[in-house]
């Protein structure tokens, strides 16, 4: 990518800056820092100035690229803080099972679900994994996502977990979307360890975590804490070992039934707990007390045909910082679009548009430890921005099921124009 041109976006009908000091919670989530008739000055890949009205003129040079923001909404580049980006194959054959009401965990117990994607992922070469994930990243980018968290967890053996994490690194280095890696060897117990859970946990703790650390292939470690997958004790053990080895921790908690995952996230002061559809009030309070970010995944509730969505309103009331993500994966949320997630967050989670945009920008940045660099449109931050063909923020969420992206700017470069990759 060449040197980014100095660029000014002016006359922006709705400039949603999401500015703020660190993670937003409670009523602060309603502050999206909206400027009507705003402008943004971008220089050398960074945001140089943000303001209102004609103020851009003092920055304007004849050589600048000027973009007109009339009729548009401009937001920070969207941040997808929970995905399973790298995997092989797909699982559309599960649709009839879903409709016959076979439970997600029952499909897994019968050797399907995650384990079916594990078979495909083990069989794929690193190059095949990169190719397949690259397609997803292209879609994410054209839908406005500029940074993504990507979990391993379809290997469940040392070799394949490493292959997935190396794919993350290759992808990060070869296309515009930034990738933050999470090691998730504790995504399920593989078939070959069905009768020896202890052996698999030891493999994670004694071999996988040290090897991933040694090659510096992941910043975070995550564990699927769920009835029928890893219980509270096992999760505590795995994540304690991960922390001791230098990983920051996250957990998939209370996705289908409550096993006390939210409480554990609080106790362990995890960076984030994710899903939380069945989280108890005590668990939410423990999260609030320990500043654990809730990453909510409403398209997953929809896709699992769960009877309810996570209780976002209660979490916000209790002061839990809320982020939103796609959970992009082959089983429970095969979508790359954070725009769809935003609409589901509105109607399923009853979140307000201002809360939603903070949840896919600044709060999502906090959930991956990148809030100093990205997540808001403020002078000094990376110039990652999206220009949406939407006259205001509400419209962006209201008009759904289509891609409203007009332009994506990544590190100051235009990477999507007219909705198409450049
Ligand atoms: O977040 N819950 C665990 N992991 C994914 C689903 C993975 C899969 O079904 O392939 C999730 O929902
Ligand atoms: Fe997930």
């Amino acid at each position: 990518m060449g040197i980014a041109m100095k660029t000014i976006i002016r006359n922006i009908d709705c400039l949603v800056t999401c500015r703020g000091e660190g993670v937003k919670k409670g009523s602060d989530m309603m502050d999206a820092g909206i400027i009507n008739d705003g402008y943004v000055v971008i220089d050398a890949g960074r945001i140089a100035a943000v303001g209102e009205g004609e103020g851009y003129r003092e920055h304007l040079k004849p050589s600048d690229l000027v973009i007109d923001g009339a009729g548009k909404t401009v937001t920070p580049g969207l941040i997808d803080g929970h995905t399973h980006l790298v995997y092989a194959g797909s699982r559309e054959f599960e649709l009839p099972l879903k409709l016959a009401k076979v439970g997600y965990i029952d499909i897994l117990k019968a050797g399907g679900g995650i384990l079916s994607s594990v078979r495909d992922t083990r069989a794929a070469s690193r190059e095949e994994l990169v190719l397949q994930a690259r397609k997803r990243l292209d879609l994410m980018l054209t839908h406005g996502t500029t940074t993504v968290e990507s979990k391993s967890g379809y290997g469940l053996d040392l070799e394949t977990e490493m292959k997935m994490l190396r794919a993350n690194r290759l992808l990060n280095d070869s296309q515009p979307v930034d990738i933050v890696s999470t090691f998730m060897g504790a995504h399920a117990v593989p078939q070959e360890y069905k009768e020896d859970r202890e052996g698999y946990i030891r493999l994670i703790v004694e071999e996988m975590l040290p090897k991933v650390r040694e090659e510096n292939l992941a910043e975070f470690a995550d564990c699927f804490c769920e009835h029928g997958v890893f219980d509270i004790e096992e999760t505590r053990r795995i994540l304690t070992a991960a922390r001791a080895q230098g990983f920051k921790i996250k957990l998939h908690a209370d996705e289908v039934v409550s096993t006390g995952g939210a409480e554990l996230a609080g106790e362990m002061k995890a960076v984030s707990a994710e899903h939380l559809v069945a989280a108890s009030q005590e668990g939410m309070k423990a999260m609030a007390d320990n500043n654990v970010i809730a990453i909510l995944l409403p398209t997953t509730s929809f896709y699992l045909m769960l009877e309810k969505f996570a209780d976002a309103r209660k979490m916000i009331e209790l002061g839990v910082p809320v982020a939103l993500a796609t959970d992009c994966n082959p089983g429970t949320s095969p979508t790359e679009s954070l725009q769809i997630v935003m609409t589901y967050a509105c109607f399923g989670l009853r979140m307000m548009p201002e809360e939603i945009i903070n949840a896919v920008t600044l709060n999502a940045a906090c959930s991956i430890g990148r809030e100093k660099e990205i997540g808001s449109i403020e002078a000094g931050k990376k110039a990652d921005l999206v220009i949406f063909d939407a006259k205001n923020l509400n419209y962006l969420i209201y008009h759904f099921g289509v891609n409203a992206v007009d332009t994506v700017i990544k590190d100051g470069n235009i990477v999507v124009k007219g909705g198409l990759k450049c």
Side-chain angles (χ1 to χ4, degrees):
M1 188 89 23
I3 304 280
M5 235 181 130
K6 182 161 166 247
T7 303
I8 295 182
I9 316 172
R10 64 176 180 191
N11 302 336
I12 304 165
D13 267 4
C14 181
L15 171 59
V16 189
T17 65
C18 297
R19 66 187 166 216
E21 294 290 316
V23 79
K24 290 187 185 173
K25 47 190 168 180
S27 55
D28 281 354
M29 286 197 68
M30 279 301 289
D31 178 10
I34 295 178
I35 302 174
N36 295 313
D37 188 20
Y39 70 84
V40 185
V41 181
I42 297 166
D43 198 6
R46 297 266 155 186
I47 294 164
V50 182
E52 191 183 346
E54 302 294 306
Y56 69 89
R57 289 191 188 278
E58 67 183 82
H59 303 275
L60 186 63
K61 298 249 162 51
S63 56
D64 293 348
L65 174 68
V66 177
I67 300 175
D68 187 40
K72 304 285 196 283
T73 293
V74 175
T75 72
L78 305 183
I79 300 169
D80 196 342
H82 176 143
T83 83
H84 306 258
L85 170 75
V86 174
Y87 60 84
S90 55
R91 307 220 298 269
E92 63 280 11
F93 54 83
E94 284 178 3
L95 289 181
L97 288 173
K98 281 172 178 287
L99 290 174
K101 293 205 162 135
V102 184
Y104 175 67
I105 298 292
D106 295 324
I107 298 179
L108 175 64
K109 279 188 184 152
I114 293 173
L115 295 175
S116 142
S117 296
V118 167
R119 287 188 288 276
D120 291 343
T121 305
R122 285 181 178 177
S125 67
R126 187 176 65 196
E127 291 62 37
E128 282 171 304
L129 286 182
V130 166
L131 268 178
Q132 293 187 31
R134 172 75 200 237
K135 262 182 128 170
R136 290 173 206 125
L137 281 167
D138 286 350
L139 278 168
M140 286 176 173
L141 186 65
T142 51
H143 285 76
T145 299
T146 49
T147 301
V148 67
E149 183 257 14
S150 170
K151 303 176 195 289
S152 69
Y154 291 113
L156 312 185
D157 61 26
L158 179 63
E159 189 194 330
T160 318
E161 288 294 311
M162 298 294 280
K163 182 171 72 179
M164 292 182 73
L165 293 170
R166 289 189 184 116
N168 272 347
R169 180 170 281 172
L170 275 170
L171 287 158
N172 184 59
D173 295 345
S174 61
Q175 54 74 55
V177 181
D178 287 321
I179 298 176
V180 173
S181 275
T182 297
F183 166 69
M184 200 177 175
H187 197 191
V189 174
Q191 292 283 57
E192 63 274 21
Y193 279 94
K194 211 173 163 188
E195 307 304 329
D196 181 20
R197 303 178 63 79
E198 175 59 24
Y200 186 58
I201 293 171
R202 286 182 53 186
L203 180 70
I204 294 175
V205 170
E206 293 168 16
E207 290 186 43
M208 292 188 187
L209 284 167
K211 194 83 181 103
V212 173
R213 199 74 216 133
E214 190 186 305
E215 293 198 26
N216 202 14
L217 281 170
E219 240 176 87
F220 291 90
D222 191 344
C223 177
F224 190 6
C225 181
E226 184 72 38
H227 182 67
V229 193
F230 292 97
D231 67 22
I232 288 285
E233 267 322 305
E234 292 168 337
T235 305
R236 186 185 280 113
R237 194 170 143 205
I238 293 166
L239 293 181
T240 302
R243 172 169 282 157
Q245 296 185 37
F247 291 87
K248 292 183 265 183
I249 60 176
K250 296 176 163 287
L251 53 151
H252 276 60
D254 306 327
E255 177 175 353
V256 186
V257 292
S258 175
T259 63
E263 286 87 336
L264 181 65
E267 174 199 311
M268 295 196 74
K269 298 188 192 304
V271 175
S272 59
E274 326 195 342
H275 286 289
L276 302 166
V277 177
S280 70
Q281 273 224 37
E282 291 65 45
M284 294 180 205
K285 283 191 191 128
M287 287 179 60
D289 289 346
N290 293 288
N291 227 11
V292 180
I293 299 173
I295 304 188
L296 304 184
L297 310 159
T299 51
T300 305
S301 303
F302 159 72
Y303 213 83
L304 283 171
M305 297 186 283
L306 298 179
E307 251 121 56
K308 57 176 189 169
F309 287 86
D311 196 348
R313 290 268 46 101
K314 181 54 78 190
M315 291 182 205
I316 293 173
E317 183 193 317
L318 291 172
V320 180
V322 173
L324 290 161
T326 60
D327 197 16
C328 176
N329 77 71
T332 65
S333 186
T335 182
E336 290 81 5
S337 171
L338 270 171
Q339 291 171 63
I340 298 272
V341 170
M342 289 164 73
T343 297
Y344 274 86
C346 182
F347 294 99
L349 301 175
R350 300 184 179 275
M351 287 173 69
M352 295 290 285
E354 291 83 354
E355 294 170 331
I356 292 170
I357 197 70
N358 278 317
V360 291
T361 55
L362 190 60
N363 282 8
C366 293
S367 78
I368 51 169
R370 294 291 189 277
E371 66 277 16
K372 299 253 181 305
E373 280 290 275
I374 54 173
S376 61
I377 302 179
E378 292 179 272
K381 281 200 171 177
K382 255 155 95 97
D384 292 1
L385 299 104
V386 188
I387 305 176
F388 287 102
D389 192 8
K391 54 192 172 197
N392 55 50
L393 177 61
N394 283 12
Y395 188 91
L396 177 61
I397 289 162
Y398 145 90
H399 184 197
F400 88 108
V402 292
N403 185 12
V405 167
D406 178 78
T407 301
V408 179
I409 298 179
K410 181 77 186 79
D411 293 312
N413 292 295
I414 294 179
V415 290
V416 174
K417 204 174 174 186
L420 299 173
K421 250 194 109 214
C422 300

